[in-house]
Amino acid sequence: MTPPPIAATMFLSFRAEVEAAVEAALTSLDLPSADLGVEEPPADVDAVLASSVAFRLADTAQAPPPAIAEDIAAAIDPTTYTYIEAVTTQGPYVNFTPGPRYYADTLSTADQDWGRRPDTGESIVVEHTSVNPTGPLHVGRARNTIIGDALARTLTFAGNDVDRHYYVNDAGRQMAVFTWAYETFEEDTLPAPERDKPDYELVRYYRRGHAYLEDADPQDVEAAEAEIAEIIQGIEEGDEATLDRVWTVVDQVLKGNRQTLARLPAPFDAFIRETQFIRDGSKDAVVDRLQATDVAHQEDGAWVLDLEDWGIDKEFVFLRSDGTSLYTTRDLAHHEWKFDRYDRAVTVLGEDQKLHADQLRAALELLGNDTDQLTAVFYSWVDLPEGGMSTRKGTGIDIDELLDEAERRARAEVETRVADRSRGELTDGDVDRIARQVGIGAVRFDIVAKQPTKGITFDWDDALDFEAQSAPYVQYAHARACGILDGIDDADEPDAAALTHPAERSLLSAIARFPAVIETAATEYEPHRVATYAREFADAFNTFYRECPVQSATGDVRTARVALVEAARHTLANALWVLGIAAPESM
């Protein structure tokens, strides 16, 4: 899926007018400028925007907020603005209602480009997932992938030049153990792979190696550890022959991981190897620079940083006593590499990585970097309810298993829903497509719709509920819009003035808000805002569908409603694209 190009927006223009009108009113009333508090009012308020500025001026003006609100409203002349039609008050709030031009411009511009913001000229790298390449992707990291991909899409849609990176941990002890095990054990001594994929085939060696190191005779373990230490040293020195051995293992696992990621889908622009920063000398340069700082010292032969000035109690070890570096040391070189190439660097991390992120930021600042370039987005874990899925020793539940189950359950739901219809309406291929789109969409939506820092328990019934506010609910609204438009060829110019029903105006207002939702989600790094909007939008569309028939309407009303459905279809399709969810044309 490629993002659509840029579109104009009425809501943001209306908000700018409201802010300008309030500022001008404050000046004319000789009141100081303050936080204007311009926001969307509650659903039961007949306005599109409201200002709470009167709250903050009560002490200065020596008057109650409702009286200040009345003065501000009286000082605004709506006729001097393009979109403001009426200014009213409700208690301490100043409410703003747009006029016909606002709705007409929204209806005429909400095409397939709708919502995408103008180019910012800013480059951003989003790093997410970055699971150690030791086996299949575990469901515990699915939230990282889904949030990371949705965030990259949101930032792209907001006009930024975005690259998505997967940081490949191909250094350190775990990779050395994996490489040793792959070269030591014969394939016919291992259990059969649980799935016909490279990552499932290779993880058997990894598990066998760890089991051997735990259970073998001490002399045999000592010999194995000597071989592993040799591999570690070869990695640390950037020895090409050693790295080729490691990459033989890593690349096979990544091949399987990429097949899983493609199902979500979660594409990447680059897979950046950790060993790159060993081979190019940047890791050693970072170590030298850290050693030269006044907060670096040695403890038992290891080099550490005292980061108390950054509010971090735990000392940061950046070089072991045997001269080998740590993951965070190499990650410092990695981030300086990012800073040289991008305006901003965003990393999606599990909540267990907060200390790592704090140490990394402090050390980067110590090295003279502008850490304002760096943003960490943290997420909490995803739990699955007991039952319905197996847990295998050593792996838990893999993303492949989760997606298989999602598609199976979606297929059952789809087949139940079409059982009473003529089967000619949906072919077997249609059922397969819908099951895939709905099942995977349900997983993505249920995860991305929650605030990242809140722990969640994935619930199959809620995620696949066509009637509730889930991915199928939003997808079905898009399919319903496509169904309404199927066969309609209405080339007449729509007149937004014909849309007088409250459900029509509510849907138009929801369409107008979409670009502002994108801007806020991108600025705050919160793609769940788009999911919330998509659910609310589907509600507004379904209300319109129930109360405002399209095909049986006539004249200007029919033409305007057709245009409104078309605008709604584009809005839904683009919101679903941002979330990484398919927008089916039939369901």
Side-chain angles (χ1 to χ4, degrees):
M1 296 180 286
T2 56
I6 302 162
T9 170
M10 263 43 68
F11 181 84
L12 292 173
S13 298
F14 179 59
R15 187 169 69 187
E17 283 193 353
V18 168
E19 291 170 349
V22 174
E23 285 280 13
L26 296 179
T27 299
S28 69
L29 295 169
D30 200 24
L31 290 171
S33 181
D35 177 6
L36 302 181
V38 174
E39 58 187 24
E40 295 177 53
D44 59 350
V45 175
D46 186 20
V48 170
L49 286 172
S51 170
S52 59
V53 69
F55 275 117
R56 281 166 287 282
L57 295 172
D59 290 342
T60 303
Q62 294 293 297
I68 299 172
E70 290 284 356
D71 290 341
I72 292 172
I76 297 172
D77 179 6
T79 63
T80 62
Y81 297 94
T82 302
Y83 292 128
I84 298 175
E85 181 177 66
V87 184
T88 59
T89 63
Q90 185 173 351
Y93 294 96
V94 183
N95 297 324
F96 295 84
T97 304
R101 174 76 178 273
Y102 177 80
Y103 295 104
D105 286 354
T106 297
L107 189 64
S108 65
T109 57
D111 57 13
Q112 71 271 12
D113 306 338
W114 185 242
R116 190 170 185 209
R117 310 308 303 127
D119 289 343
T120 64
E122 194 168 30
S123 62
I124 304 176
V125 56
V126 176
E127 178 198 331
H128 68 85
T129 306
S130 300
V131 177
N132 291 346
T134 55
L137 298 175
H138 187 273
V139 73
R141 297 294 180 180
R143 199 172 190 184
N144 189 315
T145 304
I146 291 169
I147 291 173
D149 185 68
L151 180 57
R153 290 168 179 269
T154 302
L155 292 168
T156 298
F157 212 72
N160 302 290
D161 181 10
V162 178
D163 280 348
R164 313 170 206 204
H165 285 187
Y166 189 119
Y167 188 46
V168 181
N169 180 0
D170 59 345
R173 176 176 169 79
Q174 294 305 313
M175 290 302 100
V177 170
F178 202 172
T179 302
W180 163 79
Y182 181 73
E183 295 174 347
T184 299
F185 300 106
E186 297 294 332
E187 201 276 341
D188 59 9
T189 67
L190 304 174
E194 294 157 342
R195 194 180 289 256
D196 185 20
K197 283 178 76 237
D199 44 352
Y200 287 85
E201 294 173 6
L202 268 291
V203 75
R204 298 175 299 159
Y205 294 94
Y206 184 70
R207 295 176 190 162
R208 178 64 181 276
H210 276 280
Y212 182 91
L213 294 174
E214 289 178 3
D215 302 333
D217 292 337
Q219 287 184 330
D220 293 334
V221 171
E222 184 178 353
E225 288 289 1
E227 295 179 33
I228 293 167
E230 184 180 346
I231 297 172
I232 293 174
Q233 192 60 41
I235 294 173
E236 188 69 23
E237 294 172 356
D239 176 68
E240 294 294 336
T242 303
L243 294 179
D244 283 343
R245 293 162 62 192
V246 173
W247 293 341
T248 297
V249 175
V250 168
D251 289 351
Q252 291 183 73
V253 174
L254 282 178
K255 180 179 179 181
N257 291 168
R258 292 173 79 165
Q259 292 172 10
T260 302
L261 293 168
R263 295 180 66 185
L264 280 169
F268 286 88
D269 297 293
F271 286 74
I272 307 300
R273 297 182 187 273
E274 188 178 350
T275 53
Q276 170 182 326
F277 307 102
I278 296 174
R279 297 170 68 220
D280 66 9
S282 57
K283 178 265 298 181
D284 289 336
V286 162
V287 168
D288 291 342
R289 290 158 61 202
L290 290 175
Q291 288 174 330
T293 64
D294 57 5
V295 298
H297 62 278
Q298 282 188 286
E299 289 186 7
D300 298 326
W303 280 89
V304 301
L305 295 178
D306 181 350
L307 300 176
E308 284 190 2
D309 288 347
W310 285 265
I312 301 171
D313 295 333
K314 187 178 178 63
E315 290 184 323
F316 167 38
V317 180
F318 64 91
L319 197 66
R320 297 186 182 92
S321 58
D322 63 2
T324 57
S325 59
L326 289 86
Y327 175 87
T328 308
T329 317
R330 300 183 288 270
D331 206 19
L332 289 170
H334 174 214
H335 274 77
E336 290 194 322
W337 177 87
K338 291 182 186 180
F339 292 165
D340 286 342
R341 289 161 177 78
Y342 298 93
D343 298 315
R344 282 191 277 161
V346 180
T347 310
V348 182
L349 297 168
E351 59 186 0
D352 60 327
Q353 295 295 308
K354 286 184 178 179
L355 175 60
H356 163 80
D358 289 343
Q359 290 177 326
L360 181 76
R361 180 181 294 276
L364 284 168
E365 185 176 323
L366 185 64
L367 291 170
N369 294 281
D370 177 9
T371 54
D372 287 343
Q373 290 180 261
L374 179 61
T375 298
V377 176
F378 293 101
Y379 66 94
S380 188
W381 304 113
V382 177
D383 293 323
L384 291 170
E386 293 182 1
M389 299 181 74
S390 65
T391 300
R392 298 186 295 267
K393 183 179 179 181
T395 62
I397 298 172
D398 301 317
I399 293 180
D400 285 311
E401 189 176 0
L402 175 70
L403 298 182
D404 287 348
E405 182 74 358
E407 290 188 34
R408 184 190 69 77
R409 290 177 180 249
R411 178 174 281 101
E413 179 68 21
V414 171
E415 289 178 343
T416 298
R417 286 176 166 268
V418 302
D420 297 332
R421 301 181 187 177
S422 167
R423 197 48 198 223
E425 292 184 17
L426 290 176
T427 66
D428 289 340
D430 289 333
V431 172
D432 289 342
R433 170 186 58 80
I434 294 170
R436 184 174 60 256
Q437 292 175 329
V438 169
I440 293 175
V443 171
R444 286 191 67 122
F445 192 92
D446 199 69
I447 289 176
V448 79
K450 312 296 194 306
Q451 289 189 21
T453 54
K454 293 184 178 180
I456 60 174
T457 298
F458 183 84
D459 185 279
W460 289 110
D461 293 335
D462 289 344
L464 291 169
D465 192 339
F466 280 66
E467 307 302 331
Q469 295 184 341
S470 59
Y473 179 74
V474 179
Q475 289 173 309
Y476 193 70
H478 178 268
R480 174 171 277 167
C482 293
I484 293 172
L485 297 171
D486 188 28
I488 291 181
D489 184 16
D490 198 330
D492 292 340
E493 188 70 23
D495 181 3
L499 300 174
T500 58
H501 192 284
E504 296 168 332
R505 288 303 175 101
S506 177
L507 184 56
L508 258 180
S509 293
I511 291 168
R513 285 179 49 224
F514 183 45
V517 171
I518 293 296
E519 284 205 351
T520 302
T523 301
E524 302 296 328
Y525 303 100
E526 293 181 341
H528 70 270
R529 291 177 179 268
V530 182
T532 299
Y533 170 82
R535 286 197 304 257
E536 294 172 350
F537 190 90
D539 278 342
F541 180 79
N542 288 332
T543 299
F544 161 79
Y545 175 80
R546 288 192 303 270
E547 300 183 11
C548 304
V550 176
Q551 294 180 343
S552 62
T554 59
D556 289 344
V557 172
R558 184 180 190 276
T559 298
R561 286 180 179 174
V562 168
L564 182 58
V565 173
E566 181 75 7
R569 181 176 72 87
H570 293 315
T571 303
L572 281 166
N574 291 346
L576 287 168
W577 183 91
V578 169
L579 298 172
I581 295 172
E585 295 186 3
S586 62
M587 284 179 65

